[in-house]
Amino acid sequence: MAQTKKKRRRKHRGTQGGRIDSNRRAARPRSRAEAQARVRSGAGKSRSQRGDQPPTWRGSIVRGAAAAAIFAVLLLVIFKRPPAAALALGAFMLVFYIPAGYYIETMLWRRRERARIRAGERG
């Protein structure tokens, strides 16, 4: 016997590229007033730029660990050092890179903040 009741289908919402907006409110504004309000609030901009945030020790640890790992691998592969020596130098570089990276980032961030204050972006 044929099905008499048609199944309910959802409306296809998405782009030609296959992307579907999960946050429906973040889609196209419903009215001109809503669009203007969104522009004024800065909703179209990225959440925060990297330079706006002060540096953290956690970020410095991650960067230092990555740099020390690359340094140790280069010692092993390119310079053909013994693994113990490469790991020892990598550990030394880790201890050096973490505070150096943090304080350099802090100095650069403070310089950017002073320039931003002088330009009148924050007040």
Side-chain angles (χ1 to χ4, degrees):
M1 181 185 244
Q3 184 178 2
T4 58
K5 192 171 183 182
K6 210 173 187 185
K7 288 183 83 177
R8 183 175 177 195
R9 290 175 49 186
R10 286 185 171 226
K11 189 171 183 181
H12 295 286
R13 297 190 189 279
T15 63
Q16 290 179 338
R19 182 171 169 231
I20 297 172
D21 293 328
S22 60
N23 186 2
R24 187 71 184 124
R25 295 292 296 153
R28 190 168 50 98
R30 296 285 181 199
S31 65
R32 183 168 176 79
E34 186 182 343
Q36 288 173 342
R38 190 180 293 185
V39 168
R40 283 192 195 108
S41 71
K45 297 177 186 173
S46 65
R47 294 190 193 270
S48 69
Q49 295 198 359
R50 186 178 171 115
D52 292 346
Q53 302 296 326
T56 62
W57 280 103
R58 181 178 179 177
S60 297
I61 290 170
V62 170
R63 275 193 308 275
I70 291 170
F71 185 77
V73 168
L74 287 176
L75 284 176
L76 280 171
V77 174
I78 294 178
F79 296 109
K80 309 263 193 256
R81 297 285 177 209
L87 287 176
L89 280 172
F92 173 76
M93 294 311 288
L94 179 66
V95 170
F96 176 76
Y97 281 148
I98 291 173
Y102 177 77
Y103 290 116
I104 289 171
E105 280 292 315
T106 302
M107 179 189 69
L108 294 173
W109 179 76
R110 286 180 181 159
R111 193 160 101 191
R112 283 192 304 266
E113 285 295 303
R114 281 195 299 268
R116 189 174 294 130
I117 291 169
R118 274 192 224 116
E121 287 183 20
R122 287 192 183 167

